Amino acid sequence: MPEFDNTKRSIGVNRLDDSARKDMFNKFVSAGGEVLKEKPDPKEEENKRNRPEPKVRQSTVSRGSGDEGKSRSRSGGGGSGRDSKSGSGVSDNKPGVDPKLEYEKEISGFIARFSVKLKCWMGRVTAFGSSDLIPSFMHELSTKGKQALIECNYSATEILGNPSVSPGLSAKLDKINPLLVELIAMCQKLYNGPELTDITEPILAAPESPVAIERVKTPIYNLFKKMYILYPYQETLKKSFLQAYDEMQKIENKPALIYASKKRKISQEIDILFNTFFEKLYLVVIRAENKNIPLVSRYMESLLGIFPEDRPGQRKAGENVPGGVDPKAKAEEAKKQEEEKEKAKEDEKEPVSLSKEEAYGLRLMQMYSIAKLRKKFDPKNEFGFVPDSDKVLLSYFYFREFDDEYSFVLTTKKIDLKLVHLNGVKIDYRQKMLDIYESTRPVTDQYRIYLDVIRELQKHKANPGANYIEASKKLTTIEQKRTGQSRTVRMGIKEFAQRSRDILLDLIKDMKSKKEIVVNMNDVITFDAMESRKRLNKKPIKQCVMEAYCFALALFDRIESGDLYGGLVELTPEQMKESFGMELQENAGENPGLEESSLAGGQTESAAAPPTTNPAQPPSASSEDSDPLDEDLDELEHVDHDEDDIFPTGNPI
C-alpha cells in the first residue's frame, strides 16, 4: 500500500516517540477516525506460527431438521474471506445467495435423488429404477393399513358418537385434559372411505401389477398429512383411548375383560399405523416429489399444507367434540338427507329419454328372466348361494350373455376387415378387437374371488364364534371386502363393455359413411350346426355388429349409472320390482328344481326396464312352454333399409 507508506513518511511517524504517537492517535480518534485492524504483537505472532494445529474430526452426518445447520455450514466457509476483506479496509456489498434456492438444490440434486431411490427400494415401497409402487406394498396397505384405519375410526366413533355415553365421557376426559378428546376426534378422521377406495382400487383391479404413483398420489398425501399432524402425539393418543375406555367402563358398568380387549386392539392398530405405514407413506411422498425432504422440516409442512391451527391443542374444555355428534347438526343433517331422498324420488319419476340403440339393447337384455339366466349360465347351480338381487351376479350373467351371443363379432374371420390408415398410422381393427376379447379372462377370475368372499361371509354367519366383539369386527371386515370385490368385478365388466361399444361404434360409423373397414357388410353370417341356434344366425353382418353394439351400450349404461351401479352390493326390493318385475326373495337361487311356472307372470321376459330408464313398452310374456333359446327369432321385422340405415327394426323378442 504505497499511499499509506507515503502518508507515514510525510507525517514523520518514524521520528515520533511513544507519547507523541499516543497524542496523534487520540487526535485522529477524536476527529472521527477508526481502527481498521490492530497490529499484532510480533512475539505473539511468532508463537502462533510455531504452535501445532489441533486435529479436528469433520462430521458428515446431515441433520434432518437442520435448515439452520445447513445455513451455518454454508456460511462458515466464507467467514475468513469476509474477515480478510474487512481487515484490509474493503467493504463487502455483494448480495448473499438465496438460502431457500440453495436448500432446494441440495435436496433435489443427484446425490439426493439417488438417496431417495435407495431408501424407497430398501423400504420395499418402489423398485430402484421405477417410481411405481410395488404390489406387495399396495397389498399390505389395502389389508393391514386399511384394517388399522377402520379400527381407529370404529373405536373413536364408539367413544364420541354414542349419544347416551359420549357427553358424560367427554366431560370426564375434559377434566383430565381437553387434548384427550381432541386427539380421539382427529384419529377418527384418519379414515376416509372414498380416499381409501381410491388408494386400494388399482391393486384390487390388477393384483399383480405395480401402481403408478401419480394415480394414488393425492389420497396418500391427504392420509399422510393427517398422520403427520398426529405423529408427535401418538403415545398421548394411545393414552387417550385407554383413559376413555376406563371411563366408559365406569359409565356402562360392564365386565373389565371387554374393555381390556378393546384397549389392546386399538393400541396395536395405532402402533401399526405409526410404526409401519407412517414411514412407508413418507417414502411415497419423497419418491413422488423426487426430493430428499427431511421428515421433520418446515419444507415438509409447507408441502403438505399444514398450518398452526391444524395442530392439536386448539380445543378448550366443554367445547363441541371435533368429529363427534352434535345434536343440532345431526338433526339438520337428517333433514337434509330426507330432502335429498324426496328429490331423488321425484327425479326417478321423470322419464329419461333414451337413444333408440340403448332402448333396443335394453330389450335384448330383457329376453331372459333371472331364473332363465341361471338356467342358461349356471345349469349345475354352482352359484345357488348367491341371491338373485346381487349386482355382481346379474352383471356377470349379462356379461356371459354378450360373450355367448354377440362376442363372435370381435373374433370371427367371417367379417372381412380392411387395414386403414389414420393420420399416417396403420390401424388393424381385427387385432384391436381380439385384444379386447382377451380382457374377458380377468373378469372371470375376479368373479371367482367374489364367490369365495361370499362363501367366507356365509361361513362366518353360520359359525361366528363365542366372542361377540371379535365376531362383529370380522363380519364388518368381510362385508367391506365383499363391497370392494363387488366393485372390482363390475368395473371390469363395465370396462370391457365400454371398449367393445367404442370399437363397434367405429365400425358402424364407417358402414354408414366411408365403408372402408368392413368390406362385406351385407353378407349373411351362417353358423355351423352346433351354433345354429344362436340368435344372430343367418343375419347380415351389419345387423350383427349393430345388435352387439346395442347390447354392449345397454350393459355399460346399467353399470355406469343404472340399476347395477352404486355402493350397495344388492338391488333394493324397489329396484328388483322395477327392473325385473319380481318381488325380492331371500335366495331364489338355492332351489335348483325351480318350476317352469315361476317363469310366467311377473317373473318372465316381460320384466320392466332398468331404473332411470323409460324405454318403449316391454314385450308381452311368452307362453310357459316357449323358450327364447328354441324360438325362431327371425320374426324381427326387417325391411330393405338404405345402406346408411343399418339399425334393425321391430321387436327382438
Side-chain angles (χ1 to χ4, degrees):
M1 299 175 65
E3 295 85 1
F4 189 76
D5 295 334
N6 291 336
T7 303
K8 289 171 64 178
R9 283 195 297 271
S10 63
I11 296 175
V13 174
N14 296 331
R15 297 190 300 271
L16 299 176
D17 56 8
D18 292 339
S19 61
R21 285 172 183 254
K22 188 173 182 180
D23 292 337
M24 183 176 292
F25 176 79
N26 292 333
K27 288 179 182 181
F28 286 154
V29 172
S30 62
E34 185 177 351
V35 178
L36 296 180
K37 186 176 180 181
E38 290 285 349
K39 184 177 181 181
D41 184 50
K43 293 183 178 180
E44 294 179 0
E45 193 71 13
E46 184 68 18
N47 293 335
K48 287 183 180 180
R49 285 197 296 267
N50 296 332
R51 185 183 305 163
E53 293 183 0
K55 296 181 180 180
V56 180
R57 185 179 66 181
Q58 297 183 354
S59 174
T60 60
V61 179
S62 62
R63 303 297 178 185
S65 59
D67 289 356
E68 298 176 358
K70 292 180 176 61
S71 299
R72 286 197 298 270
S73 64
R74 288 194 294 268
S75 61
S80 60
R82 287 193 295 271
D83 290 344
S84 62
K85 289 181 181 179
S86 62
S88 62
V90 180
S91 61
D92 185 8
N93 295 325
K94 184 179 180 180
V97 181
D98 187 359
K100 293 184 179 180
L101 185 59
E102 286 294 312
Y103 184 63
E104 184 78 22
K105 290 181 180 179
E106 183 178 343
I107 63 175
S108 58
F110 172 77
I111 299 298
R113 296 196 305 271
F114 181 84
S115 176
V116 169
K117 293 180 180 179
L118 189 61
K119 287 179 182 179
C120 294
W121 174 67
M122 295 181 66
R124 296 182 179 180
V125 173
T126 66
F128 183 80
S130 172
S131 62
D132 293 345
L133 303 176
I134 61 178
S136 60
F137 163 68
M138 291 302 296
H139 279 297
E140 189 179 16
L141 183 60
S142 63
T143 53
K144 294 182 180 179
K146 185 177 181 179
Q147 177 61 35
L149 292 171
I150 292 173
E151 179 65 30
C152 288
N153 178 267
Y154 175 83
S155 299
T157 303
E158 186 180 29
I159 294 171
L160 302 179
N162 188 346
S164 61
V165 177
S166 298
L169 188 58
S170 299
K172 290 189 176 183
L173 293 177
D174 282 343
K175 291 180 180 180
I176 302 173
N177 192 339
L179 182 64
L180 302 182
V181 176
E182 188 175 10
L183 289 177
I184 295 175
M186 295 179 74
C187 184
Q188 182 184 24
K189 294 180 180 180
L190 288 177
Y191 175 80
N192 185 309
E195 287 184 356
L196 202 56
T197 301
D198 292 339
I199 294 174
T200 59
E201 182 181 2
I203 196 63
L204 294 176
E208 303 300 328
S209 302
V211 177
I213 200 168
E214 290 295 329
R215 187 173 179 182
V216 295
K217 176 180 176 181
T218 300
I220 283 184
Y221 273 43
N222 293 337
L223 174 60
F224 182 69
K225 175 183 177 180
K226 291 180 284 189
M227 293 180 64
Y228 188 92
I229 295 172
L230 281 175
Y231 183 71
Y233 301 88
Q234 51 184 299
E235 292 300 326
T236 308
L237 177 63
K238 284 195 286 188
K239 293 179 181 178
S240 300
F241 276 103
L242 300 181
Q243 186 66 41
Y245 279 125
D246 287 339
E247 297 296 336
M248 183 182 288
Q249 180 185 358
K250 296 177 183 177
I251 295 175
E252 295 181 339
N253 197 24
K254 292 182 180 179
L257 185 61
I258 297 176
Y259 302 95
S261 175
K262 293 180 178 181
K263 288 189 286 186
R264 182 175 62 255
K265 184 66 174 175
I266 188 62
S267 298
Q268 291 175 351
E269 301 301 346
I270 291 175
D271 287 337
I272 290 175
L273 279 180
F274 290 99
N275 294 342
T276 301
F277 289 102
F278 181 78
E279 182 180 354
K280 291 182 179 292
L281 294 180
Y282 163 67
L283 294 177
V284 174
V285 171
I286 63 175
R287 191 68 176 91
E289 297 294 327
N290 208 15
K291 298 176 183 177
N292 192 15
I293 307 171
L295 176 60
V296 183
S297 63
R298 289 191 295 271
Y299 191 99
M300 178 63 77
E301 294 178 7
S302 176
L303 175 65
L304 298 175
I306 297 175
F307 301 99
E309 57 269 21
D310 296 330
R311 301 183 182 279
Q314 311 297 322
R315 178 181 176 273
K316 297 180 181 179
E319 289 184 351
N320 182 42
V321 178
V325 176
D326 184 3
K328 295 182 179 180
K330 185 177 181 181
E332 293 177 359
E333 184 68 21
K335 184 178 179 181
K336 186 177 179 180
Q337 291 179 355
E338 189 66 26
E339 293 176 354
E340 290 178 352
K341 288 181 180 179
E342 293 178 358
K343 186 178 179 180
K345 289 181 180 179
E346 293 177 359
D347 293 340
E348 289 179 358
K349 293 178 182 178
E350 297 180 0
V352 180
S353 60
L354 300 174
S355 65
K356 60 180 181 179
E357 290 86 356
E358 184 174 355
Y360 188 84
L362 290 172
R363 292 199 297 272
L364 291 176
M365 300 179 79
Q366 293 160 15
M367 291 177 60
Y368 298 94
S369 65
I370 298 178
K372 289 195 174 183
L373 286 172
R374 284 185 178 274
K375 181 179 178 181
K376 184 176 182 181
F377 299 113
D378 185 26
K380 296 181 180 179
N381 200 37
E382 295 178 352
F383 313 148
F385 58 91
V386 185
D388 286 348
S389 57
D390 191 285
K391 294 180 181 179
V392 170
L393 179 74
L394 297 173
S395 301
Y396 183 72
F397 280 158
Y398 289 128
F399 166 76
R400 289 286 306 277
E401 172 69 8
F402 180 86
D403 184 32
D404 186 58
E405 296 287 351
Y406 306 97
S407 66
F408 74 90
V409 299
L410 301 175
T411 59
T412 183
K413 293 183 179 180
K414 295 180 180 180
I415 301 177
D416 189 2
L417 299 176
K418 184 179 178 181
L419 294 175
V420 295
H421 291 79
L422 181 63
N423 298 329
V425 179
K426 183 173 67 174
I427 301 178
D428 186 353
Y429 277 92
R430 185 178 303 282
Q431 185 59 48
K432 289 179 69 174
M433 290 194 292
L434 288 174
D435 293 341
I436 292 174
Y437 185 74
E438 285 297 319
S439 65
T440 59
R441 296 179 181 179
V443 172
T444 303
D445 295 339
Q446 293 298 324
Y447 178 70
R448 295 293 178 183
I449 295 175
Y450 180 75
L451 295 179
D452 292 339
V453 174
I454 295 183
R455 291 190 186 96
E456 181 183 2
L457 178 63
Q458 294 181 348
K459 182 179 179 181
H460 177 71
K461 287 182 178 180
N463 186 19
N467 191 325
Y468 171 77
I469 298 175
E470 293 298 328
S472 177
K473 291 181 180 180
K474 185 176 181 181
L475 177 63
T476 302
T477 301
I478 300 175
E479 288 177 344
Q480 290 172 345
K481 186 177 178 182
R482 179 190 179 188
T483 302
Q485 189 62 22
S486 171
R487 181 176 181 180
T488 299
V489 177
R490 284 181 285 157
M491 290 305 101
I493 297 174
K494 185 187 78 170
E495 182 179 356
F496 169 75
Q498 182 179 15
R499 295 176 64 191
S500 301
R501 176 203 66 178
D502 293 344
I503 199 165
L504 293 175
L505 182 59
D506 289 343
L507 300 184
I508 292 171
K509 289 179 179 179
D510 177 77
M511 288 188 288
K512 288 185 176 182
S513 57
K514 297 180 180 180
K515 302 179 178 61
E516 293 180 349
I517 303 175
V518 184
V519 177
N520 57 339
M521 57 181 287
N522 293 312
D523 290 357
V524 176
I525 288 285
T526 303
F527 296 105
D528 55 24
M530 293 293 295
E531 297 182 333
S532 60
R533 297 172 64 184
K534 288 187 179 294
R535 66 173 313 273
L536 295 183
N537 186 32
K538 299 181 180 180
K539 303 287 178 67
I541 288 175
K542 60 183 182 181
Q543 181 181 339
C544 294
V545 173
M546 174 57 79
E547 295 203 19
Y549 165 74
C550 293
F551 193 96
L553 173 64
L555 178 57
F556 170 79
D557 286 343
R558 288 184 70 174
I559 300 178
E560 172 69 14
S561 58
D563 57 341
L564 301 180
Y565 165 80
L568 298 178
V569 296
E570 296 183 18
L571 297 176
T572 62
E574 294 80 9
Q575 289 176 322
M576 286 291 291
K577 183 69 176 178
E578 190 172 2
S579 298
F580 299 97
M582 57 184 293
E583 298 293 337
L584 182 61
Q585 302 176 5
E586 288 187 4
N587 197 347
E590 289 183 355
N591 183 11
L594 203 61
E595 296 293 339
E596 287 294 328
S597 60
S598 67
L599 305 181
Q603 300 180 20
T604 60
E605 299 89 314
S606 60
T612 72
T613 62
N614 188 21
Q617 283 292 333
S620 59
S622 59
S623 60
E624 293 182 12
D625 57 351
S626 64
D627 193 322
L629 298 178
D630 299 328
E631 292 176 354
D632 181 10
L633 297 178
D634 286 339
E635 68 183 38
L636 195 62
E637 299 174 2
H638 296 296
V639 294
D640 294 331
H641 305 291
D642 296 334
E643 290 186 354
D644 290 341
D645 184 10
I646 61 174
F647 187 76
T649 61
N651 190 338
I653 306 176

